[in-house]
């Protein structure tokens, strides 16, 4: 097993129409307004940006996100990631009753030296940290969508 490689899936049930959820998720530069752990998104050009995240643990992860797929008809947003994290992440947005199901899939390898050194003993803590971050993101996005 490669202890520095992670696969995550989160499902967010949101009380908003798919088009509204998609529109919010495609504006990554606005994530810091509603997702506390996304500290900064700095646009590099039309399809990439530098993202800094920091969840509950005392470290930040910085990576470049480059758009790979933006498909509103299919409800898909996908990025490639390089930096402290190498890999990809994808949002898939689908209707769910009167609301939306936003599925987040991510496969990454951690490059940050400290996290690589702590890969084996820290793995359960890092996974829990990610879960907390995703929970806060869902709450933040739900509140953001209510306010718009």
């Amino acid at each position: 097993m490669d202890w520095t490689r992670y696969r995550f899936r989160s499902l967010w049930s949101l009380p908003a129409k798919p088009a509204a959820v998609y529109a919010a998720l495609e504006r990554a530069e606005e994530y810091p307004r509603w997702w506390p752990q996304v500290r900064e998104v700095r646009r590099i050009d039309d399809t990439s940006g530098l993202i800094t995240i920091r969840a509950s643990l005392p470290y930040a992860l910085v990576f470049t996100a480059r758009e790979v797929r933006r498909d509103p008809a299919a409800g898909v947003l996908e990025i490639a990631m390089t930096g402290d994290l190498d890999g990809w992440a994808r949002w898939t947005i689908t209707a769910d009753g009167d609301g939306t199901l936003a599925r987040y899939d991510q496969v990454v390898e951690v490059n940050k030296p400290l996290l690589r050194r702590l890969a084996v003993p820290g793995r359960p803590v890092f996974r829990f940290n990610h879960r907390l971050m995703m929970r806060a993101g869902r709450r933040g996005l739900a509140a953001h969508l209510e306010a718009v």
Side-chain angles (χ1 to χ4, degrees):
M1 174 177 205
D2 181 354
W3 293 95
T4 62
R5 189 169 180 82
Y6 292 85
R7 178 180 296 273
F8 297 107
R9 173 170 288 163
S10 296
L11 300 173
W12 294 3
S13 182
L14 297 160
K17 298 292 180 198
V21 173
Y22 188 92
L25 290 173
E26 78 176 337
R27 292 189 302 270
E29 64 277 1
E30 294 182 15
Y31 282 24
R33 292 183 186 176
W34 54 265
W35 198 338
Q37 293 81 7
V38 179
R39 301 301 173 97
E40 181 181 18
V41 177
R42 194 175 55 213
R43 222 173 242 288
I44 296 171
D45 57 34
D46 287 345
T47 60
S48 62
L50 189 65
I51 299 176
T52 303
I53 58 173
R54 177 159 181 219
S56 301
L57 297 175
Y59 61 83
L61 295 171
V62 180
F63 57 91
T64 298
R66 183 181 49 78
E67 182 181 302
V68 172
R69 183 174 177 200
R70 180 187 298 243
D71 187 343
V76 175
L77 293 164
E78 186 173 337
I79 60 169
M81 306 160 75
T82 55
D84 287 344
L85 301 173
D86 279 350
W88 59 269
R90 178 187 314 118
W91 287 106
T92 306
I93 310 306
T94 55
D96 184 34
D98 290 338
T100 298
L101 182 64
R103 187 178 89 196
Y104 180 79
D105 293 292
Q106 181 182 43
V107 176
V108 292
E109 183 165 338
V110 177
N111 291 324
K112 191 171 186 80
L114 172 65
L115 301 186
R116 289 182 72 81
R117 280 194 300 278
L118 297 174
V120 174
R123 189 172 182 84
V125 175
F126 299 153
R127 293 187 70 77
F128 182 69
N129 192 50
H130 186 271
R131 224 175 2 263
L132 291 176
M133 177 180 153
M134 296 306 289
R135 188 179 308 156
R138 190 203 60 74
R139 280 195 309 265
L141 181 55
H144 172 74
L145 290 166
E146 273 184 31
V148 221

